[in-house]
């Protein structure tokens, strides 16, 4: 039994979120706390994902390290960093699934959505920890910072 867009919409609705059809016959969007999630189904492959635009001042090194750690902890999650023609970048959290029936969709959608939300939170925690360590390390080796604490001896 092939999965239809209506099946995806129903799975989203059963989790309490109003679905919105995308521009094509393969995509449905839904909103959680102001954040837009995308569900795409094509050739028995379902992906649930969210994109976040990256600010220029963000530490890509810490972001990538946090992504690797998150993927290692939460096996099924995929995190990647596309760059666009205008030079902007984003981080994408994605859960891919191979499913072939509406019954499988109903069974696995809530679990996958939970995994996606967990991965976003875990990534934020790891990134925050890495940034705190990086800032402490930076302060320890910054000679200007040490000099500002020095007292003039006369």
């Amino acid at each position: 039994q092939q999965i239809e867009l209506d099946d995806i919409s129903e799975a989203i609705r059963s989790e309490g979120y109003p679905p919105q059809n995308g521009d094509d016959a393969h995509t449905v969007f839904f909103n959680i706390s102001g954040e837009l999630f995308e569900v795409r189904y094509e050739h028995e492959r379902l992906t649930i994902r969210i994109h976040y635009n990256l600010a220029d001042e963000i530490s890509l090194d810490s972001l990538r390290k946090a992504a690797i750690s998150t993927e290692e902890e939460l096996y099924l999650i995929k995190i990647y960093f596309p760059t666009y023609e205008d030079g902007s970048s984003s981080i994408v959290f994605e859960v891919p699934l191979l499913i072939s029936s509406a019954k499988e969709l109903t069974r696995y959608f809530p679990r996958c959505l939970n995994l996606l939300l967990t991965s976003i939170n875990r990534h934020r925690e790891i990134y925050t920890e890495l940034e705190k360590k990086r800032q402490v390390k930076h302060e320890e080796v910054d000679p200007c910072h040490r000099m500002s604490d020095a007292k003039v001896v006369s």
Side-chain angles (χ1 to χ4, degrees):
Q1 174 190 358
Q2 181 72 12
I3 295 176
E4 303 292 330
L5 221 52
D6 289 342
D7 298 321
I8 296 170
S9 294
E10 185 55 37
I12 294 169
R13 197 176 292 107
S14 71
E15 291 302 305
Y17 308 109
Q20 307 159 7
N21 287 345
D23 293 337
D24 59 28
H26 305 284
T27 308
V28 178
F29 295 97
F30 64 100
N31 205 305
I32 299 178
S33 301
E35 296 183 333
L36 190 64
F37 289 77
E38 174 187 349
V39 180
R40 184 163 180 79
Y41 182 74
E42 196 168 15
H43 308 295
E44 295 188 356
R45 184 169 189 247
L46 181 99
T47 54
I48 307 168
R49 69 173 67 117
I50 186 167
H51 302 252
Y52 293 99
N53 292 327
L54 297 178
D56 292 336
E57 66 275 1
I58 200 149
S59 168
L60 291 178
D61 183 53
S62 293
L63 206 62
R64 286 188 171 98
K65 286 178 181 176
I68 291 167
S69 294
T70 303
E71 287 179 338
E72 287 173 352
E73 283 182 31
L74 301 172
Y75 309 112
L76 295 176
I77 193 74
K78 302 294 177 219
I79 303 171
Y80 54 96
F81 302 89
T83 302
Y84 305 102
E85 289 179 11
D86 65 0
S88 65
S89 304
S90 69
I91 182 171
V92 178
F93 293 83
E94 177 179 283
V95 177
L97 280 175
L98 289 175
I99 58 174
S100 58
S101 71
K103 183 177 181 180
E104 287 179 348
L105 174 66
T106 303
R107 181 175 178 196
Y108 292 113
F109 183 78
R111 294 178 189 178
C112 292
L113 180 56
N114 185 45
L115 177 62
L116 187 63
L117 295 172
T118 299
S119 71
I120 294 165
N121 290 331
R122 185 63 184 131
H123 183 271
R124 286 178 179 151
E125 290 170 1
I126 295 170
Y127 176 80
T128 300
E129 290 170 17
L130 289 170
E131 280 300 284
K132 283 180 183 175
K133 287 178 187 175
R134 189 175 71 88
Q135 289 171 358
V136 167
K137 187 176 179 181
H138 177 71
E139 288 174 4
E140 289 173 356
V141 297
D142 184 3
C144 295
H145 179 68
R146 287 188 192 153
M147 290 184 74
S148 66
D149 292 338
K151 295 189 170 124
V152 177
V153 178
S154 49

